[in-house]
Amino acid sequence: DTGVSQDPRHKITKRGQNVTFRCDPISEHNRLYWYRQTLGQGPEFLTYFQNEAQLEKSRLLSDRFSAERPKGSFSTLEIQRTEQGDSAMYLCASSLGSGRYEQYFGPGTRLTVT
Amino acid sequence: QQQVKQSPQSLIVQKGGIPIINCAYENTAFDYFPWYQQFPGKGPALLIAIRPDVSEKKEGRFTISFNKSAKQFSLHIMDSQPGDSATYFCAARGGLNFNKFYFGSGTKLNVKP
């Protein structure tokens, strides 16, 4: 068990480009969360999955954002037509579920939109 | 509106001191209250957590005090060390969306040698 991993760790892109981030949760964790964190703020909930089902999406998640978790394993977060306001740290976390609420975070993907 | 309010924004203590970070919430449906430690450039790391049926929990040098009637909880760090210098976040789970977590805005702690 190597913890939650995220790829890439850093991404610099030009405004208008599409980007995709990947998260690999702790094996056997059936819940997976995406958060966005800007400088000096706490993580803000974006969406979460129970296995492969996306059960909740924040209003922060505009139509340009989409997330998937095929087969209930890894997850991807795609941002289309990036804007400068999308620059942030994107964090993934996983938890076991079944009454176990402890969330374990990955190292994050730092997105910079120029 | 912010579901979990955290204070202070920053805190400076001497080595060996006991920094205290406070959080308050309004939603009585919250049922799990974790604290996270985050170093620059890293993801948050779970430190300790409490459920509302317990008033205090200790793990090593970290203690959570929970006051259900006041809807407040706090983190105490005993015998603080320079290596504890980090940003600390409180959070709460539940409400209408039981698996959704709400985070405080963070407290930047500096422990001076």
Side-chain angles (χ1 to χ4, degrees):
Chain A
D1 179 3
T2 57
V4 178
S5 61
Q6 292 186 245
D7 184 71
R9 294 293 307 279
H10 303 275
K11 179 71 176 178
I12 300 174
T13 191
K14 293 184 186 300
R15 187 166 55 94
Q17 297 294 304
N18 299 344
V19 293
T20 300
F21 310 140
R22 177 180 170 123
C23 171
D24 286 89
I26 295 172
S27 58
E28 298 180 355
H29 278 196
N30 59 35
R31 290 191 184 145
L32 186 148
Y33 300 77
W34 284 100
Y35 292 88
R36 181 171 67 187
Q37 185 177 29
T38 53
L39 203 60
Q41 298 298 315
E44 291 179 291
F45 171 85
L46 291 177
T47 188
Y48 99 91
F49 293 83
Q50 171 93 16
N51 299 312
E52 67 274 11
Q54 187 174 18
L55 297 185
E56 178 71 18
K57 288 174 64 172
S58 166
R59 286 172 294 175
L60 291 174
L61 220 62
S62 75
D63 291 344
R64 297 184 298 107
F65 288 70
S66 62
E68 294 183 340
R69 192 183 181 196
K71 302 179 183 178
S73 55
F74 71 92
S75 176
T76 58
L77 177 69
E78 181 183 16
I79 309 175
Q80 296 183 326
R81 305 181 303 282
T82 52
E83 301 173 356
Q84 287 190 319
D86 296 331
S87 295
M89 176 78 90
Y90 289 84
L91 293 163
C92 175
S94 69
S95 68
L96 189 58
S98 302
R100 297 292 303 274
Y101 304 145
E102 299 87 347
Q103 283 193 341
Y104 298 92
F105 281 83
T109 295
R110 170 73 65 188
L111 173 66
T112 302
V113 182
T114 61
Chain B
Q1 73 282 18
Q2 200 167 12
Q3 297 270 0
V4 179
K5 295 183 180 178
Q6 183 171 346
S7 63
Q9 191 173 8
S10 62
L11 192 52
I12 301 173
V13 299
Q14 293 294 131
K15 177 183 174 183
I18 306 176
I20 301 172
I21 304 170
N22 301 298
C23 283
Y25 64 97
E26 286 299 322
N27 192 336
T28 55
F30 288 158
D31 64 355
Y32 173 76
F33 301 87
W35 284 90
Y36 289 87
Q37 178 190 58
Q38 187 175 30
F39 293 103
K42 307 290 185 183
L46 179 64
L47 270 180
I48 185 172
I50 198 167
R51 302 205 186 198
D53 53 345
V54 176
S55 61
E56 186 176 273
K57 184 175 181 181
K58 293 182 182 181
E59 283 186 6
R61 296 185 295 109
F62 301 97
T63 298
I64 299 179
S65 296
F66 188 85
N67 186 329
K68 189 174 181 178
S69 60
K71 291 184 283 187
Q72 294 175 348
F73 58 110
S74 59
L75 177 70
H76 303 231
I77 304 175
M78 306 302 174
D79 187 28
S80 58
Q81 302 296 314
D84 296 329
S85 298
T87 300
Y88 292 81
F89 294 97
C90 61
R93 173 196 175 272
L96 289 175
N97 304 299
F98 291 108
N99 290 312
K100 187 172 177 178
F101 284 74
Y102 300 89
F103 282 77
S105 55
T107 296
K108 189 169 184 179
L109 172 65
N110 185 4
V111 181
K112 290 191 173 296

